[in-house]
Amino acid sequence: MPSSADVARLAGVSRKTVSRVFNEEPYVSAEVRRRVMDAADTLGYRLNQTARALASGRTRTVGVVTLGTPGYGPATLLVSIERAVRDTGYALHVVSTMDGDPAGIASAVTSLLEQGVDGIVISEPVDEGKAAIRVDVPVLFLGAPPAFAAARTLTTSTGSELLARAATDHLLDLGHATVHHVAGPRRWYAARDRIEGWRAALEERRRIVPPVVAGDWSAASGHAAGRELARDDDVTAVFAAGDEMAIGVIRALLEAGRRVPEDVSVVGLDDMPVAAYVTPPLTTVRQPFDAAAREGLKLLVHAIENPGADLPAATDPPVELVVRASTAPPPSRAKSPSQGEISWHTA
């Protein structure tokens, strides 16, 4: 196997310079960095991570604790975290937990610490209570409040409250008097945040806040909620906390003879790939998985590599409303073509 000395010889630099390049140290010119990397590629040189860890005291690995579920949100966020970690040059270790296991987070974190990770990401969407552990590496809580003590605790938002406000505001802007909400399970932080965003949007505009209808993220729970809402003729707008529930709501409304969007408008949240292909295509708010993961990993890596430095200010993730054909003004606001106007809807 080629060594750093071989790379130095081919690039015409010292071994110390090769070390500086691979450890991403400053004060190396772009030209020298390019020559070293070209030489490494030519020789097939790969940095000895074990030696690097011994020299720096860091393994350049990040651990992730995530809920073991095929659900769209947690699974897609994990993929975004994997991409963000890879872009930082760190390696990744993932440990999954099970819903309903109060000791799951503590056990997962202990496993990651035994692997020598430099930092940990908690992408655990369910409230399992406080864990009785203390961690001596920086910990990023992504979309959740801190669940245990750490050497340095970081929190970043996935924007659930802002996304819910955008969905609710869209329906109010169309002229609906109020918006009904089909929520996710209350143990999920995102479900709570979306309730708060929906309620805040209604209260800010002095609208009636209807009772929350409980769901569990599934299309079946959305269908059950939709059947309940379809019995109330005053319901003209529904915001479901997830796309699968929104699809179930639409099915139930149509079965009850309520047209979407002519009678009732429906908005989801996620922008799952299937959302554009249901009937009618679903208006939804896109989750900024990649942006939230990049922002969080930027903070975590900064904390790992600069233990005593202040953290850069976190920014809110972007909000992107995707308007399709499941929303329109309420029946009293949509005039028929015979009145000289075309019924309003977004394709």
Side-chain angles (χ1 to χ4, degrees), residues 6 8 13 20 39 75 115 129 134 155 172 200 218 233 284 303 332 341:
D6 298 322
V13 299
R20 285 175 176 161
Q115 298 176 57
R134 179 174 178 82
T155 58
L172 296 177
S218 71
D233 291 338
T284 184
S332 61
E341 294 188 20

Side-chain angles (χ1 to χ4, degrees), residues 61-64 85 88 90 118-122 137-141 152-154 156 293-306 311-312:
T61 58
V62 168
V64 177
V85 171
T88 67
Y90 280 64
D118 295 324
I120 295 174
V121 178
I122 304 296
V137 299
V139 178
L140 168 69
F141 292 90
R152 199 165 191 186
T153 299
L154 320 169
T156 58
R294 284 195 304 270
E295 177 73 16
L297 265 296
K298 179 182 74 174
L299 296 178
L300 182 62
V301 170
H302 185 89
I304 292 170
E305 298 182 351
N306 305 276
L311 292 172

Side-chain angles (χ1 to χ4, degrees), residues 41-302:
D41 287 342
T42 299
L43 295 172
Y45 172 76
R46 295 292 179 269
L47 182 64
N48 186 321
Q49 294 291 352
T50 302
R52 183 178 189 171
L54 291 171
S56 66
R58 296 198 299 266
T59 61
R60 292 188 67 82
T61 58
V62 168
V64 177
V65 178
T66 185
L67 182 65
T69 173
Y72 178 78
T76 307
L77 181 57
L78 178 59
V79 171
S80 295
I81 292 170
E82 290 174 335
R83 281 197 290 258
V85 171
R86 187 165 59 244
D87 290 344
T88 67
Y90 280 64
L92 181 69
H93 297 297
V94 178
V95 178
S96 296
T97 62
M98 296 297 293
D99 189 4
D101 179 9
I105 291 180
S107 176
V109 168
T110 299
S111 173
L112 291 170
L113 293 174
E114 289 172 350
Q115 298 176 57
V117 297
D118 295 324
I120 295 174
V121 178
I122 304 296
S123 179
E124 172 63 51
V126 178
D127 186 357
E128 299 287 4
K130 293 286 186 180
I133 56 173
R134 179 174 178 82
V135 179
D136 59 358
V137 299
V139 178
L140 168 69
F141 292 90
L142 188 55
F148 53 82
R152 199 165 191 186
T153 299
L154 320 169
T155 58
T156 58
S157 172
T158 54
S160 283
E161 186 170 342
L162 294 174
L163 304 181
R165 288 182 69 111
T168 308
D169 281 337
H170 169 65
L171 291 165
L172 296 177
D173 289 343
L174 287 171
H176 294 274
T178 190
V179 177
H180 291 72
H181 182 47
V182 180
R186 292 295 184 101
R187 292 178 59 246
W188 287 62
Y189 297 112
R192 297 177 193 172
D193 290 344
R194 291 168 198 181
I195 291 173
E196 289 306 309
W198 161 77
R199 180 180 288 114
L202 292 177
E203 290 178 346
E204 187 175 286
R205 295 166 76 157
R206 302 181 182 228
R207 304 301 176 88
I208 293 173
V209 180
V212 172
V213 183
D216 63 10
W217 302 126
S218 71
S221 72
H223 185 268
R227 291 179 64 183
E228 177 181 337
L229 293 169
R231 291 194 287 268
D232 184 349
D233 291 338
D234 291 333
V235 173
T236 66
V238 179
F239 161 49
D243 283 353
E244 287 194 40
M245 292 194 299
I247 292 169
V249 167
I250 291 174
R251 175 66 180 268
L253 290 170
L254 295 176
E255 288 174 349
R258 304 290 297 278
R259 299 169 300 167
V260 178
E262 292 86 355
D263 299 322
V264 183
S265 289
V266 179
V267 177
L269 194 153
D270 278 333
D271 195 27
M272 298 174 61
V274 72
Y277 301 99
V278 295
T279 303
L282 180 65
T283 293
T284 184
V285 186
R286 182 170 294 155
Q287 283 226 58
F289 295 113
D290 288 342
R294 284 195 304 270
E295 177 73 16
L297 265 296
K298 179 182 74 174
L299 296 178
L300 182 62
V301 170
H302 185 89

